[in-house]
Amino acid sequence: MAVAVNLLDFDATGLAGYFAGLGEKPFRARQVLRWMHRSGQDDFDAMTDIAGSLREKLRANAGIMPPAIVSDRLSGDGARKFVFDVGGGNAVETVFIPEGGRGTLCVSTQVGCALDCAFCSTGSQGFNRNLTAAEIIGQLWQVNRALGACPDGRVVDNVVLMGMGEPLANFGNLVTALRLLLDDNAYGLSRRRVTVSTSGLVPMIDRLRDECPVALAVSLHAPDDALRDRLVPINRRYPLRELMAACLRYLDEAPRDFVTFEYVMLDEVNDSEEHARRLLCLTREVPCKFNLIPFNPFPGSSFRRSPSPRVRRFAEILMNAGIVTTTRKVRGEDIGAACGQLAGQVRDRTRRGRWPAAAVHEVRSQ
Ligand code: SAH
Ligand code: SF4
């Protein structure tokens, strides 16, 4: 039997193309898109304004198949972590962070991550594969249902692609999911309420600007190449000068926008006053905000979180120079849902194992 087509894999254009192949008009595709994403419907028979003959065709050829939730845990501080089974013994994680009546959803894009940043739990798990577009958007689809947000509820009003994986290393599927997030017939979020976080894949930052310019966050973590090479190994391929130039190009056509620089605060590694001053120098031409992330430990990690007074001092230096700087509240730590703690279950196919202890030592003694 032919494998059913998963309609969650299509954005509006893709779905219209698929419907054309079935001999159906584009407006039919729009109707089905709304049923799927706005009403959270996965049963063709419940799509009451769709002709019976089309429903039958869809039943025979297609399905609406998000990944299954295998665990749903609530943190003492309100963050809620969902674990999704994505087959082959792999699982990915999604975190909902409520704020008032609404909230932010932190979505995964890969099973593991190949980029191996020294302080990241996901990176230490190795890499298995890219998530499909259906698996990326399916996280939001399922969470909406779990939160009782269907039909047409807008509980998730902010989506950050900051879960497991490097979003720009899974570009095609990422862009399909982004288009659905922005589409009024699907989730209808504004570009500023969708953020892609990258460790700095320079050519892909340019492609994102050309194909789907949403808000950009760049994981900086160091003011110079020597330190960043060690913390974020992709820096050896795309060093800071190229990364800053890419950030400027990204903002070229949106002069009122800014890049958010994320900066994980690692005790005695990258958190001195001197580091803060050099950051000001590095980023002086880029309209930006800073988001300081106190390091979140995970089993086997050998970094320590910077003490709060040092984080405050660091923030002060950036703010005194006129840069809006926030310090991320630690949320969901008790359930392993804080930044960088997401580990899911990854069958590593890269066999590179963990970051060698000697290298971590080298970084800490910088
Ligand atoms: N791969 C992308 C997005 C996922 S990581 C990226 O690197 O930007 C999301 C954010 O969490 C990044 O800024 C990352 O550097 C940060 N992070 C990773 N491990 C962390 C940890 N243990 N503690 C705090 N932040 C961490
Ligand atoms: Fe990958 Fe981001 Fe973790 Fe680096 S910080 S290993 S890019 S998920």
Side-chain angles (χ1 to χ4, degrees), residues 146 247 251 285 310 325:
C247 290
L251 300 177
E285 285 174 20
R310 204 164 327 131
T325 303

Side-chain angles (χ1 to χ4, degrees), residues 222-230 235-236 238-241:
D224 60 74
D225 284 321
L227 180 56
R228 195 165 191 270
D229 278 354
R230 291 181 169 83
N235 193 70
R236 296 172 201 159
Y238 305 114
L240 284 168
R241 206 165 54 87

